[in-house]
Amino acid sequence: MSSTESATMSASAPAAKGRVLVQIRDLAKNYRRGAETVHVFEGVNLDIHEGEYLALMGPSGSGKSTLLNILAGLDKPDRGKVVVDGKDVTAMNSRQLAAWRSTHIGFIFQFYNLLPVLTAAQNVELPLLLTNLGKKQRREHVMHALDVVGLSDRTEHFPKQLSGGQQQRVGIARAIVSDPTIILGDEPTGDLDSVSGDEILTLLERLNREFKKTILLVTHDAHAAERAQAIMRMDKGVLSR
Amino acid sequence: MTTTGLVWANLRRNKKRTILTMLSVMVAFFLFGVLRSVITTLDAATEVGSEGRLISSSASGITFLLPEAHANRLAAVDGVSSVSWANWFGAYYRDPNDFFAQFAIKADTYIPMYPEIVITAGSMDDFMRERNAAIVGVGLLRKFGWQVGQKVTLTGTFAAGDWDFNIRAAYDPPDPAFGDELMFFHYEYFWEGTNRQVTPGWFVMTLEEPDRAAEVASTIDAMFKSSVAPTKTQTEKAFNAGFVTMWGNIGFLVSAIGTAVFFAILFVSANTMMMAVRERIGEIAVLKTVGFGDRLIFGLVLAESMLISVLGGALGLFLARGAFAGRNALNAFFPGFGVTGGTIALGLAMALALGVVSGAVPAFQSARLSVASALRQVG
Ligand SMILES: Nc1ncnc2c1ncn2[C@@H]1O[C@H](COP(=O)(O)OP(=O)(O)O)[C@@H](O)[C@H]1O
Ligand SMILES: [Mg+2]
């Protein structure tokens, strides 16, 4: 299927689906690098349903991160629309986006990206600093999130006192602590050994099954992608199944 | 944790750098406190001296002498109620570097003109009776460990030789700007000790009506205009201010140094903040990703920069105040030298400004940072 076709891509069989949570329509993104223009993708369409766990594969430079960033409101498309849970993300200004991200997006980075000066618990608490929650409530949410990722006994550790896999689990706790609408992972296992990577994948599966989290996982590891319910491919700016 | 906690955590990230920067700011503001106090003390000195007393010195300059015979003609001027005179001595006690001022005064007429000389130990009568008696400021007693009744020997510079004095009284001025490290002794002793070579350095006059000071002054100068020793007559306040204007170049120098220090420290702390932010691009991107708005990011960086400046600045300023509280080494040159509340307030305002200016650019850059490209940079 070509991305320029008007038919909207759907990831899995209609019977298993919840309501449409994310609608991506006719999305185009170019980067200008000096005089030349890099066409990352054009006319991308995608629906993500509530409770879905999608993997997005593709070679390096194919535009996976760009798509994820636009979906998270971290980057602006040149054309097209992204609607998440009824809200047009592409129409929001940067201040609205920041507030929206804090409640709707849980982002997991490849390199964990924890703040080295903060403990595991403090790192997880960061998104909650923007809420009205009191200190005690914040603490409860943080402890619950760390419990889900299996790090209840490492709350006061600093990132450098944790292994790569543990750091990534803190990163996941931070992504889920504010109970976001959707979890986006940009190659979260890319920097881990296979055992740690497996643990992370198991954790994501659990988040999807047990906690009904909607997940979009970018990876170029076929083994990782297979753990998702469906696999999308991005190649040369074209999104396909 | 809170957002304030986040600022503190960031400050602790590179403790050595934070402390070094804070110390630099501290030293700079210590210097600022001291330098500005030189100016405020000089300014205060221009306020010392009475509007009601006139000083006649040589029109050729304050280092030229005047004939004693001027005294009688001054006393005859309409509006002048009393006349006295004085001169500098310029001697030292043991160490030539231990500067303090001594004045040879025509005591019987001089003392009544100066209510500032409040005797707190010994007695004026004892001083008056004895040819080589001296009155010294309480500051000098403390500085040299002198006591009333003690004999001290000073070494003259231009009036060479050893000069013996008996301390017969000590004074403590109500206004510290008058100075409490002065010494007064009898003009007659000075005159005879120099083989009657030295004559008055200046005349002091009190007026019947202080309002007529300008008029009386011009009468006096006109009277001596074609004499062997023409005069320049002005109020004592203007006379003192004249000395301070001699220091005026120092005032300018001090401001120049202060400004240079301020800009030097601006570059130091701006550089610190640039570095702090540059190595944190990924973290700022993360904060933005989890929903920290541009303003909050701007505020976090600015708060960090302001904390460094204000803490460092306050430390330096209060250190300067503490170091020059009460008596201090600078009193001999700048009577009443001290760091004023105004200097502290100005210093703190400057520290605040320093924090804002040095943090503004990195704070702005952080706020404007594009998450997508930042994450690309750090991987
Ligand atoms: N800020 C940018 N400026 C210029 N080109 C960019 C920028 N961001 C991404 N690109 C280009 O866009 C293409 C897609 O990048 P990306 O989305 O990171 O790919 P992927 O995540 O699939 O590896 C690449 O060719 C990349 O060089
Ligand atoms: Mg990528």
Side-chain angles (χ1 to χ4, degrees), chain A residues 112-196:
Chain A
Y112 339 130
N113 286 352
L114 303 180
L115 271 58
V117 291
L118 303 182
T119 62
Q122 287 171 330
N123 265 289
V124 175
E125 193 180 357
L126 282 174
L128 300 181
L129 295 182
L130 304 163
T131 64
N132 296 326
L133 295 177
K135 199 176 163 190
K136 201 169 152 252
Q137 286 169 296
R138 290 206 302 268
R139 186 83 195 159
E140 278 167 14
H141 281 78
V142 168
M143 287 308 148
H144 180 239
L146 282 169
D147 191 37
V148 169
V149 301
L151 284 177
S152 307
D153 55 343
R154 294 283 191 282
T155 61
E156 303 313 311
H157 284 55
F158 284 92
K160 63 168 181 283
Q161 299 167 319
L162 299 171
S163 71
Q166 288 171 327
Q167 287 186 52
Q168 189 58 295
R169 282 191 273 157
V170 175
I172 292 174
R174 178 175 66 193
I176 60 172
V177 73
S178 54
D179 194 19
T181 311
I182 183 165
I183 294 171
L184 306 174
D186 196 350
E187 306 193 27
T189 59
D191 199 48
L192 295 174
D193 61 80
S194 62
V195 176
S196 305

Side-chain angles (χ1 to χ4, degrees), chain A residues 31-33 38 40 58-67 186-187, chain B residues 373 376:
Chain A
Y31 282 115
R32 257 152 297 277
R33 202 182 280 151
V38 182
V40 184
S60 189
S62 58
K64 306 181 298 292
S65 295
T66 303
L67 181 65
D186 196 350
E187 306 193 27
Chain B
S373 52
R376 180 171 306 279

Side-chain angles (χ1 to χ4, degrees), chain B residues 203-362:
Chain B
F203 291 94
V204 199
M205 287 147 281
T206 49
L207 301 175
E208 277 152 12
E209 293 161 67
D211 292 349
R212 287 178 57 206
E215 179 202 327
V216 174
S218 53
T219 308
I220 291 170
D221 290 347
M223 182 169 78
F224 291 116
K225 190 163 183 200
S226 45
S227 79
V228 287
T231 55
K232 183 185 177 191
T233 305
Q234 50 196 330
T235 64
E236 185 182 59
K237 188 169 187 167
F239 180 73
N240 287 345
F243 282 104
V244 176
T245 19
M246 278 173 49
W247 289 96
N249 291 337
I250 290 194
F252 172 75
L253 201 67
V254 159
S255 314
I257 294 171
T259 310
V261 167
F262 183 80
F263 279 99
I265 204 63
L266 178 62
F267 294 131
V268 169
S269 49
N271 183 53
T272 297
M273 287 314 297
M274 298 271 194
M275 277 163 58
V277 163
R278 206 175 306 130
E279 70 195 12
R280 244 185 262 165
I281 286 179
E283 294 173 34
I284 292 165
V286 169
L287 290 177
K288 285 191 163 197
T289 303
V290 303
F292 280 54
D294 295 355
R295 283 169 194 222
L296 184 53
I297 298 284
F298 184 89
L300 286 172
V301 176
L302 202 66
E304 193 175 327
S305 156
M306 282 167 68
L307 265 175
I308 292 180
S309 298
V310 172
L311 286 182
L315 223 61
L317 289 165
F318 284 100
L319 218 64
R321 193 185 176 89
F324 295 101
R327 310 213 48 76
N328 58 70
L330 291 176
N331 278 166
F333 300 97
F334 308 112
F337 185 90
V339 180
T340 62
T343 296
I344 299 271
L346 181 69
L348 287 177
M350 281 173 66
L352 210 68
L354 176 71
V356 172
V357 174
S358 57
V361 171

